[in-house]
């Protein structure tokens, strides 16, 4: 069943997503949304929609191991994961709402999100001197006001913010960091700008947000007051793994393009594919792909078994984000000038997509510092 499903996802990506990929989608959330509106009904019709959600929520109810291969296949196209509605930040937001949402919050926010009628975002990071790698530097605050709360603060790099209907925001309260659900049309929430980041294809771009005397009701709290950091931590482990899996597909796609190129192209009378230096680069890419897949699958298996992935997900995220970067870099080198063109092949844009992965979901240096301390027990 699982292999047949993976083959169907591959067919959907090859037949429907890749043909409508376009350099014109770069930094254009409206164009991306239009492409997704075309793809999602098809994904639903083909039984590929919402692989990560339980069946009773309209999903396919796949285990982590089963969804790993689906995420990788979907990730070959930048349109694939969102077409299946398993892209960040909606995918981890659905998990948060499922775990921490009240019945009313699930009805109001989770249901339309799962049905693909709306998009959402998750706002934790702040410009200096606020929270970045160190979440304890959180400056956005929420104070009680009658039955509700008033939020003030500044967030940036909030993926999906352009066109989102709601935002899950992390704010400091007297009782500790707390998650709030804020409607994006709240008059106290202002989308300052869409940040043109290096990565070209984030659905809903990356927004800078200002909360100014932003009033929300008591029912805007997601989960328990004061538990926001614990929830963010719980969110990040599966979110990291999902990113690894989707982007594994993207790196594989870069290699597919590079391999096709070196098999066709000749230099000084020899096919590039027959040159040992080229063969070694291709081999190194496959070694990185294989190791990345195995590390990700081990995390997936542990999660299915209910085991902690605190250490494993950090090691996997560091290795995979760096390995995928190496693969994309070699793939672009193998393609020569073609690997530098954003119009003629997917590789250059994949290089751009993969670079920020070493920063979000915890920078490599932060994970190494934490892992090193944990192993040395300091
Ligand atoms: C494309 C993209 C999408 C994002 N999407 C979201 C989103 O949807 N929501 C959201 O809330 N945030 C998002 N972010 C923000 C992301 O989570 C932060 O960039 C990340 O947590 C790092 O924080 P910072 O940028 O403030 O870097 P800083 O904390 O300023 O760190 C800068 C650099 O210092 C080094 N460093 C930091 N701490 C340590 C340490 N302890 N030990 C060693 N070296 C260290 C690292 O090299 C790090 O890259 C996104 C970022 C990017 C690039």
């Amino acid at each position: 069943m699982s292999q047949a499903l993976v083959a169907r996802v591959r067919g959907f990506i090859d037949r429907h997503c890749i043909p409508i990929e376009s350099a014109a989608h770069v930094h254009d959330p409206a164009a991306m949304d239009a492409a997704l509106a075309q793809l999602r009904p098809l994904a639903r019709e083909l039984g590929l929609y919402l692989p990560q959600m339980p069946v009773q929520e309209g999903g396919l109810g796949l285990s982590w191991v089963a969804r790993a291969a689906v995420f990788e296949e979907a990730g070959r196209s930048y349109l694939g994961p969102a077409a299946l509605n398993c892209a960040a930040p909606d995918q981890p937001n659905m998990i948060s709402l499922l775990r921490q949402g009240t019945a009313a919050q699930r009805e109001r926010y989770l249901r339309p999100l799962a049905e693909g009628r709306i998009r959402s975002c998750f706002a934790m990071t702040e410009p200096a001197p606020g929270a970045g790698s160190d979440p304890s530097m959180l400056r956005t605050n929420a104070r009680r006001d009658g039955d509700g709360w008033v939020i003030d603060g500044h967030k940036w790099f909030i993926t999906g913010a352009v066109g989102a209907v709601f935002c899950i925001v992390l704010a400091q309260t007297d009782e500790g960091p707390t998650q709030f659900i804020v409607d994006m049309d709240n008059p106290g929430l202002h989308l300052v700008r869409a940040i043109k980041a290096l990565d070209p294809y984030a659905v809903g771009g990356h927004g800078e947000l200002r909360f100014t005397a932003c009033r929300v009701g008591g029912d805007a709290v997601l989960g328990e007051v004061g538990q926001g950091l614990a929830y963010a931590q719980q969110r990040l482990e599966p979110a990291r793994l999902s990113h690894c899996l989707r982007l594994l597909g993207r790196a594989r796609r870069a290699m597919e393009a590079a391999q096709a190129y070196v098999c066709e192209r000749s230099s000084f009378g020899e096919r590039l594919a027959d040159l040992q230096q080229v063969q070694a680069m291709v081999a190194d890419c496959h070694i990185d792909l294989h190791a990345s897949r195995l590390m990700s699958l081990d995390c997936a298996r542990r999660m299915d078994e209910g085991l902690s992935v605190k250490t494993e997900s950090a090691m996997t995220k560091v290795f995979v984000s760096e390995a995928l970067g190496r693969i994309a870099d070699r793939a672009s080198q193998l393609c020569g000038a073609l690997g530098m063109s954003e119009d003629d092949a997917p590789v250059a844009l994949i290089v751009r997509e993969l670079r920020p992965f070493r920063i979000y979901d915890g920078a490599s240096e932060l994970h190494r510092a934490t892992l090193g301390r944990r192993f040395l027990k300091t």
Side-chain angles (χ1 to χ4, degrees), residues 89 122-126 131-134 156-159 197 199 206 356 359-363 365-366 369:
F122 178 76
M124 182 161 153
T125 305
E126 300 165 343
S133 301
D134 180 357
W156 80 336
F157 271 88
I158 307 310
T159 307
D199 60 328
H206 305 293
I359 292 175
Y360 59 77
D361 289 352
E365 294 74 21
L366 180 73

Side-chain angles (χ1 to χ4, degrees), residues 88-89 121-128 130-134 137 155-161 168 170 197-199 202 205-207 235-236 243 352-353 355-370 373:
C121 59
F122 178 76
M124 182 161 153
T125 305
E126 300 165 343
S133 301
D134 180 357
M137 292 164 75
K155 301 280 183 182
W156 80 336
F157 271 88
I158 307 310
T159 307
I168 298 177
L170 195 70
L198 183 65
D199 60 328
H206 305 293
R235 167 196 178 92
L236 273 173
H243 263 127
R352 280 176 57 182
E353 278 195 280
R355 177 60 185 89
F357 191 29
R358 281 158 49 197
I359 292 175
Y360 59 77
D361 289 352
S364 290
E365 294 74 21
L366 180 73
H367 284 304
R368 282 197 169 88
T370 313
R373 274 198 302 273

Side-chain angles (χ1 to χ4, degrees), residues 33-322:
D33 280 339
L36 293 176
Q38 185 182 331
L39 293 169
R40 280 185 173 174
L42 213 49
R44 213 178 268 118
E45 206 176 289
L46 294 168
L48 310 175
Y49 189 74
L50 222 48
Q52 76 283 7
M53 288 291 274
V55 174
Q56 57 273 26
E57 303 291 337
L60 302 186
L62 300 185
S63 67
W64 274 99
V65 168
R67 84 182 75 153
V70 169
F71 277 32
E72 182 182 331
E73 286 303 332
R76 283 179 56 247
S77 166
Y78 65 85
L79 292 168
L84 269 51
N85 204 358
C86 63
D90 289 345
Q91 176 234 356
N93 280 351
M94 284 185 238
I95 296 176
S96 297
L97 285 162
L98 203 55
R99 284 182 179 164
Q100 295 125 31
T102 61
Q105 287 170 337
R106 290 203 301 270
E107 181 60 29
R108 180 166 172 192
Y109 298 106
L110 177 58
R111 184 197 283 264
L113 198 57
E115 289 176 358
R117 288 187 278 121
I118 62 169
R119 285 197 290 96
S120 63
C121 59
F122 178 76
M124 182 161 153
T125 305
E126 300 165 343
S133 301
D134 180 357
S136 72
M137 292 164 75
L138 192 63
R139 287 168 76 98
T140 297
N141 71 84
R143 61 182 166 80
R144 286 187 192 271
D145 182 53
D147 288 345
W149 299 80
V150 177
I151 305 172
D152 284 280
H154 189 189
K155 301 280 183 182
W156 80 336
F157 271 88
I158 307 310
T159 307
V162 182
V165 163
F166 72 92
C167 172
I168 298 177
V169 58
L170 195 70
Q172 190 61 262
T173 71
D174 287 344
E175 292 118 290
T178 301
Q179 294 185 137
F180 294 88
I181 306 177
V182 183
D183 293 335
M184 292 295 284
D185 64 0
N186 185 310
L189 170 51
H190 176 50
L191 174 66
V192 180
R193 63 177 170 135
I195 301 168
K196 287 201 171 80
L198 183 65
D199 60 328
Y201 291 130
V203 177
H206 305 293
E208 178 177 346
L209 303 177
R210 278 235 181 244
F211 296 79
T212 310
C214 178
R215 281 174 193 282
V216 292
D219 58 356
V221 174
L222 177 60
E224 283 179 42
V225 174
Q227 292 302 309
L229 272 190
Y231 295 140
Q233 208 50 48
Q234 284 170 22
R235 167 196 178 92
L236 273 173
E237 286 168 6
R240 259 178 223 142
L241 175 63
S242 304
H243 263 127
C244 289
L245 294 165
R246 289 182 293 249
L247 294 176
L248 191 53
R250 208 83 96 254
R252 219 179 87 205
R253 172 92 179 282
M255 274 314 292
E256 288 166 15
Q259 287 180 209
Y261 183 79
V262 299
C263 287
E264 286 294 317
R265 180 77 164 153
S266 297
S267 173
F268 298 102
E270 279 190 274
R271 252 183 4 141
L272 296 183
D274 295 328
L275 302 172
Q276 284 189 355
Q277 288 191 72
V278 167
Q279 291 164 356
M281 283 165 82
V282 170
D284 283 340
C285 286
H286 282 272
I287 292 166
D288 274 334
L289 277 176
H290 188 54
S292 297
R293 189 178 295 115
L294 290 181
M295 287 180 83
S296 303
L297 273 173
D298 181 59
C299 273
R301 180 190 55 79
R302 290 181 69 88
M303 281 166 49
D304 281 339
E305 289 173 10
L307 300 172
S308 164
V309 288
K310 199 169 154 191
T311 297
E312 290 75 9
S313 81
M315 292 194 293
T316 302
K317 198 277 173 176
V318 172
F319 183 85
V320 174
S321 61
E322 296 179 1

